[in-house]
Amino acid sequence: MKAIDMKDFGEADVLQLQDVADPVVRPHDLLVRNRAAGVNRADLNQRRGAYGRADFGDSTLMGLEIAGEVIAVGDQVQGYRPGDRVMGIVGGGGYAEIARIDYRMAMPIPSSLDDIHAGAIPEVFVTAHEAMLHLGRLEAHETVLVHAGASGVGSAAIQLARAVGATVHATADGAKAARVREFGADLVIDYKNEDYAEAVKRATGGRGVDVIVDFVGAPYLERNVRSLADGGRLVQVGLMGGKSATLPMDRLLFGHLQIMGTVMKSRPPEVKQAMVRRFRERWLDAFARGDIKPVVDSVFPLARAADAHRRMEANQNIGKIMLNAG
């Protein structure tokens, strides 16, 4: 089969379309004729060498989410058969014409969705649900601040927050503000030209927000903590800006705050399966009805994976960058 691989770590041009062996089906696997693969920040890190040549369960090839048609099943698979359309999260191997996925990480594609839009769901929506609703415990009467509101996870989190009836504040590049409001944000803060902590303080009458979902890390930590209301929860899902920062312990202590971190790629299979199950049970019907919609920024042929990476690195995207794998 054709797949994207690299001989060395480095810039985007190390990604090359190559002939590689088809994956072998294990007892719990679905073998999928891949039609779409999502591009994620973790892919950029992998290309640069952050994980070495680690195999996160399915393949040393890049790619964490797929959508396509089942062409074979393992002997312990339940609920799926060849011909089914599925989407889901893989431990590598998404940047390929054929991928394997543990059936417990797969979800049926609603008939209303094409493969590209289905492929834009798994990683970002499962991450958003896990961070904001499962860990952050956001409720209808509360307010959430979603950083990077134009990103894949950001656009997903905004839609899920609106669906549960919460008030949504989001940060984004001012040029992307109109689109972020379309996702459902009540307030969009231009992080390039405005201090988001001051904007949150004004918008909440000094109270702060109940939940923050953050991808940036170090540069935002102190302001995040000071932007939380008493009893607030900060859920860290990325470290794009760095990993070492000053924590205002007084606010943490006297505000009864909680700080949590979550990552999916390196978690044990049973933990990832539980994440997918929680998301599927709560939200899959909403996608079938069209109440929630995946946001696709752009689609590149598999052979142009390097261009897809460059677009993400330039922070040009609003929503998901996708690869058409077949």
Side-chain angles (χ1 to χ4, degrees):
M1 68 174 182
K2 297 290 186 181
I4 294 295
D5 204 354
M6 55 187 178
K7 294 181 179 179
D8 300 298
F9 302 120
E11 297 302 317
D13 57 7
V14 302
L15 301 180
Q16 299 293 324
L17 191 66
Q18 300 180 24
D19 289 306
V20 302
D22 291 359
V24 176
V25 178
R26 301 164 300 190
H28 291 96
D29 282 342
L30 308 175
L31 197 64
V32 177
R33 178 72 65 184
N34 204 10
R35 306 298 185 193
V39 177
N40 293 281
R41 290 279 172 184
D43 302 344
L44 308 186
N45 294 336
Q46 183 172 353
R47 193 199 74 221
R48 296 166 183 152
Y51 315 123
R53 294 289 183 180
D55 184 331
F56 289 98
D58 292 309
S59 175
T60 57
L61 297 174
M62 198 174 295
L64 300 176
E65 57 189 336
I66 63 169
E69 180 182 343
V70 177
I71 56 176
V73 300
D75 58 16
Q76 294 184 37
V77 168
Q78 300 177 26
Y80 294 99
R81 60 186 180 182
D84 288 345
R85 297 173 65 230
V86 296
M87 58 187 181
I89 295 170
V90 294
Y95 287 23
E97 293 177 327
I98 299 174
R100 66 182 181 186
I101 180 172
D102 188 305
Y103 80 94
R104 293 161 293 190
M105 296 294 289
M107 297 173 277
I109 297 176
S111 59
S112 57
L113 290 177
D114 60 35
D115 292 328
I116 292 294
H117 284 81
I121 291 173
E123 181 77 13
V124 294
F125 276 95
V126 171
T127 297
H129 174 264
E130 189 70 15
M132 186 176 64
L133 299 175
H134 182 67
L135 295 176
R137 307 185 306 282
L138 180 69
E139 297 182 2
H141 63 279
E142 294 184 319
T143 300
V144 60
L145 172 63
V146 177
H147 286 299
S151 68
V153 178
S155 62
I158 291 169
Q159 290 192 73
L160 296 184
R162 290 293 292 179
V164 302
T167 299
V168 187
H169 299 167
T171 61
D173 184 325
K176 302 177 180 180
R179 287 297 310 281
V180 175
R181 281 190 285 269
E182 290 176 5
F183 303 151
D186 299 282
L187 172 68
V188 181
I189 304 163
D190 181 355
Y191 70 91
K192 290 185 175 180
N193 296 301
E194 187 173 9
D195 184 336
Y196 73 81
E198 289 298 323
V200 165
K201 184 177 180 179
R202 289 195 304 270
T204 62
R207 176 183 178 275
V209 298
D210 300 286
V211 177
I212 297 177
V213 179
D214 180 48
F215 313 85
V216 178
Y220 279 14
L221 178 61
E222 183 169 359
R223 282 184 291 166
N224 280 342
V225 168
R226 298 197 185 282
S227 295
L228 285 169
D230 287 352
R233 289 84 69 193
L234 166 62
V235 186
Q236 199 69 44
V237 296
L239 298 171
M240 291 170 56
K243 60 185 180 180
S244 298
T246 299
L247 174 64
M249 295 290 290
D250 57 339
R251 180 64 194 133
L252 179 70
L253 180 68
F254 296 111
H256 306 282
L257 307 181
Q258 297 178 55
I259 301 175
M260 294 160 277
T262 183
V263 66
M264 185 181 299
K265 186 177 179 72
S266 57
R267 301 293 287 278
E270 59 273 16
V271 174
K272 293 192 283 188
Q273 291 163 16
M275 292 181 183
V276 172
R277 183 173 61 251
R278 284 191 286 267
F279 169 78
R280 173 180 175 172
E281 290 173 352
R282 183 165 185 179
W283 295 111
L284 198 60
D285 287 346
F287 286 96
R289 294 190 303 267
D291 297 341
I292 302 174
K293 299 178 181 179
V295 180
V296 173
D297 169 82
S298 51
V299 183
F300 292 82
L302 182 62
R304 291 181 56 203
D307 290 332
H309 276 219
R310 292 185 187 102
R311 181 169 179 81
M312 179 168 281
E313 286 175 315
N315 199 29
Q316 295 175 324
N317 59 298
I318 298 176
K320 288 291 297 186
I321 299 171
M322 301 298 298
L323 297 177
N324 187 339

